[in-house]
Amino acid sequence: MNNRSFHPESLMMTHGYKPELSEGAIKCPIFQTSTFVFKSAEEGKAFFEVAYGQREKEPNEELGLIYSRLNNPDLQILEERLCLWDEADECAVFESGMSAISTVMLEFLRPGDIMLYSKPVYGGTDHFINKVLPQYGIKGIGFTSEQTKEEILDLVKKDKGNIKLIYVETPANPTNALFDLELCRDVADSISTDDQDVVVCVDNTYMGPLWQHPLKHGADLIVYSATKYIGGHSDLIAGAVLGKSKYMTRVRTLRTFLGNMAGPWTGWLLMRSLETLKVRMTQQATNTVEVAKYLQTHPKVEKVYYLGNLEAGSRQHDIFKKQLKCAGAMISFDIKGGEKEAFKFLNSLKLMKLAVSLGSTESLAEHPATMTHSDVSLEDRELLGISERLVRLSIGVEHFQDIIWDIEQALEQV
Ligand SMILES: *Cc1c(COP(=O)(O)O)cnc(C)c1O
C-alpha cells in the first residue's frame, strides 16, 4: 500500500512542481523572465553542453534553466503534465497548434520528399500542405478513410522511397471520419528502410488527451492545438507535440531555433486549464449524447455526423471500438437545404456562439464550407462531404436542455 500510480487527473495540480523552490506557493508562479542567472561560469557551460546536444546528460543531472526560448519552468512543468495522459516520453509546447504542426513537417521533410496525409485535415493544415510546402519542393498525397492499406500503397508505388512522414488527423475535422492508426503504422513500416524510418504523426486535437492515445496504436508523434480542449476556455492560442524521445529531441531543437515556443503566461494558463480537463471534457461529451439524440429525429436535419451513431459492423465502427474511449463532444449535421438554411440557423442561435474554434466551455457553431474549410479545394470538399448544408457544433458545459432549446428555436426560424 506504499506506492500507487495515480491517475493523470489526480496529478494535474501537483506533478513536476516543487513548492519549496517558489517560497512555498501552492501554485506554480508565472516565471515572467527572459533569462536565468547561473551560479558559476562552469554551471553555464555544463547547461549549454546538454542543451545543445554536445554531450548526454549524466545519470542524475537535470538540464538547468538557461533562457526562456530554450526552457522555462511554466513550460517544463506543463510539458511533464501533458505527457501523463498520452504516456509520452517528452512534450514540447508551442505558440499555436499550427506552429506545432508546421515545425514537425519542416523537421521531418526535405525538398524532394513526400508526405502522405489523411483527408480532410484542419483548414490551416491543408493550406500549409498544399500551398506552403510545395514552395519548398515537398509534395503531399492525400488518402481518405475509405481506402485500404493496398490502395494507399498503390497511391505511392512510384515514389515509395521519398515518403518520410505519414500525417493523420482522426477524427477528421469537420466530418468525424475515423482513420485506422494501426493501418497507418503498417503502411509506414512497409515503406520504411533500414536507414530511413517513416514517421507517423497524429493530430489528436479532437479526442485527446482523454479519449484517444495514438502512441498506443503505433504513432510516433502526436500534435495538438492546445487552443481547443486542453486550453478549453477560448482565451489562448497554443500547441503541443508529444512522443518518443528520439523524435522529440529533433522537434525541440527546431523549436529552439524557430523560436516558436509558448510564453510563460500561456504555459501558466494551460496548467490552470489542465486541472479541470477531465471534468470539462466529460461533461461536454455527456451533453453531446443528448444533443445528438435530439438532432437525429429532427425533420429539418438530413444527416448527423456523430461518433456515437456509427453503424455496428461498419469499418468506421470497428475503428471506433479499437481506438476511442468516447464519442467526444464534436457533432456536425447536414441541414435540409443549403447555405441559406444553414446561415439562417446560425444567425438565429441565442445561447451558442457563432464562432470558429472548438473544445471550449461555451458551445460554438460554424459553417465549415465558408469558414474553417473555405480554403480546401472544391473537389476535396465535394469528395469529403463538406457541403453547404454542413453545420459544425462544438458542445460546451452548459445545461444540455438549454443547448437543445437553442437548437430547437434556431431550427424553427429556418
Ligand atoms: C484549431 C486546430 C488546429 C490549429 O491550431 P491553432 O491553435 O489554431 O494554431 C490544428 N488541428 C486541428 C484539428 C484544429 O482544430
Side-chain angles (χ1 to χ4, degrees):
M1 288 298 282
N2 292 331
N3 275 318
R4 179 177 173 86
S5 56
F6 294 117
H7 295 82
E9 62 266 37
S10 305
L11 293 169
M12 286 304 112
M13 286 62 78
T14 52
H15 185 71
Y17 172 64
K18 298 193 185 102
E20 63 272 23
L21 296 179
S22 295
E23 312 272 6
I26 189 160
K27 291 289 145 179
C28 178
I30 306 174
F31 287 85
Q32 191 72 46
T33 185
S34 58
T35 196
F36 297 86
V37 179
F38 302 138
K39 290 197 185 95
S40 65
E42 288 75 13
E43 188 188 71
K45 176 181 175 184
F47 290 176
F48 265 96
E49 283 169 350
V50 174
Y52 280 8
Q54 290 155 357
R55 64 170 174 86
E56 291 290 312
K57 262 191 283 197
E58 301 292 334
N60 285 323
E61 188 179 1
E62 279 190 37
L63 175 58
L65 293 161
I66 299 176
Y67 182 67
S68 287
R69 178 156 48 72
L70 280 72
N71 51 14
N72 176 291
D74 291 298
L75 288 203
Q76 282 187 339
I77 297 166
L78 167 67
E79 286 163 354
E80 284 177 34
R81 290 183 187 173
L82 271 172
C83 280
L84 297 175
W85 299 94
D86 283 298
E87 296 180 26
D89 297 341
E90 283 181 44
C91 168
V93 173
F94 285 79
E95 194 50 54
S96 68
M98 279 314 301
S99 62
I101 292 165
S102 54
T103 300
V104 167
M105 291 181 182
L106 291 173
E107 177 54 37
F108 293 98
L109 297 163
R110 294 290 177 275
D113 287 348
I114 295 175
M115 170 171 55
L116 265 173
Y117 72 99
S118 63
K119 288 201 290 195
V121 284
Y122 174 72
T125 309
D126 188 274
H127 182 97
F128 193 76
I129 295 172
N130 291 304
K131 308 266 165 66
V132 179
L133 288 179
Q135 300 180 51
Y136 297 87
I138 297 163
K139 188 165 122 187
I141 298 180
F143 59 97
T144 67
S145 60
E146 268 111 55
Q147 286 175 304
T148 61
K149 181 183 165 192
E150 288 65 36
E151 286 168 333
I152 296 169
L153 284 172
D154 204 46
L155 283 177
V156 297
K157 63 172 182 281
K158 286 198 303 287
D159 15 47
K160 259 193 203 161
N162 298 329
I163 310 250
K164 301 291 158 61
L165 180 63
I166 301 183
Y167 182 87
V168 193
E169 187 179 312
T170 182
N173 178 1
T175 56
N176 276 339
L178 296 178
F179 286 83
D180 185 338
L181 295 178
E182 275 158 21
L183 179 151
C184 296
R185 179 77 262 164
D186 269 1
V187 171
D189 288 344
S190 62
I191 48 187
S192 292
T193 59
D194 286 345
D195 44 28
Q196 180 69 57
D197 293 338
V198 177
V199 175
V200 177
C201 176
V202 177
D203 184 333
N204 201 29
T205 300
Y206 256 46
M207 284 293 158
L210 232 63
W211 300 319
Q212 176 172 262
H213 299 118
L215 299 177
K216 292 197 181 129
H217 299 280
D220 300 303
L221 290 173
I222 298 171
V223 290
Y224 284 109
S225 169
T227 310
K228 315 296 166 54
Y229 289 99
I230 294 173
H233 296 73
S234 298
D235 56 6
L236 61 86
I237 299 276
V241 183
L242 293 86
K244 298 181 185 164
S245 285
K246 81 169 170 178
Y247 299 119
M248 285 308 299
T249 306
R250 293 177 56 182
V251 171
R252 187 184 299 281
T253 303
L254 187 57
R255 183 185 73 168
T256 293
F257 295 102
L258 292 177
N260 53 0
M261 69 296 154
W265 171 224
T266 300
W268 184 89
L269 279 170
L270 284 168
M271 280 195 271
R272 176 277 325 249
S273 292
L274 279 182
E275 298 187 6
T276 56
L277 180 78
K278 184 165 181 189
V279 285
R280 282 186 281 114
M281 289 184 79
T282 305
Q283 185 63 53
Q284 286 170 275
T286 313
N287 284 351
T288 309
V289 174
E290 301 299 329
V291 173
K293 251 190 252 165
Y294 175 79
L295 286 171
Q296 201 64 37
T297 56
H298 199 287
K300 289 184 183 165
V301 172
E302 199 166 294
K303 186 172 176 191
V304 179
Y305 304 86
Y306 171 59
L307 291 173
N309 286 347
L310 298 172
E311 197 187 320
S314 64
R315 195 171 156 211
Q316 287 285 300
H317 190 251
D318 291 343
I319 303 174
F320 178 78
K321 278 192 303 187
K322 183 163 73 166
Q323 232 162 261
L324 290 166
K325 293 184 172 153
C326 174
M330 293 299 296
I331 186 165
S332 296
F333 67 94
D334 284 331
I335 198 163
K336 283 192 183 148
E339 182 179 297
K340 186 167 146 264
E341 287 73 13
F343 279 17
K344 186 75 194 164
F345 169 78
L346 291 169
N347 290 335
S348 305
L349 290 167
K350 291 187 171 150
L351 178 69
M352 296 178 88
K353 292 286 173 267
L354 170 52
V356 300
S357 198
L358 59 99
S360 184
T361 44
E362 72 278 304
S363 294
L364 299 174
E366 67 117 3
H367 189 244
T370 60
M371 296 171 192
T372 46
H373 292 70
S374 57
D375 216 24
V376 176
S377 71
L378 182 63
E379 188 193 339
D380 273 357
R381 268 189 270 143
E382 279 171 1
L383 173 72
L384 304 165
I386 308 171
S387 74
E388 295 192 340
R389 297 187 299 279
L390 189 71
V391 172
R392 189 188 77 180
L393 307 178
S394 166
I395 303 300
V397 300
E398 304 91 341
H399 197 293
F400 75 87
Q401 285 167 346
D402 293 333
I403 301 172
I404 291 173
W405 173 88
D406 197 25
I407 294 173
E408 180 163 39
Q409 66 80 26
L411 282 170
E412 256 166 41
Q413 304 300 311
V414 175

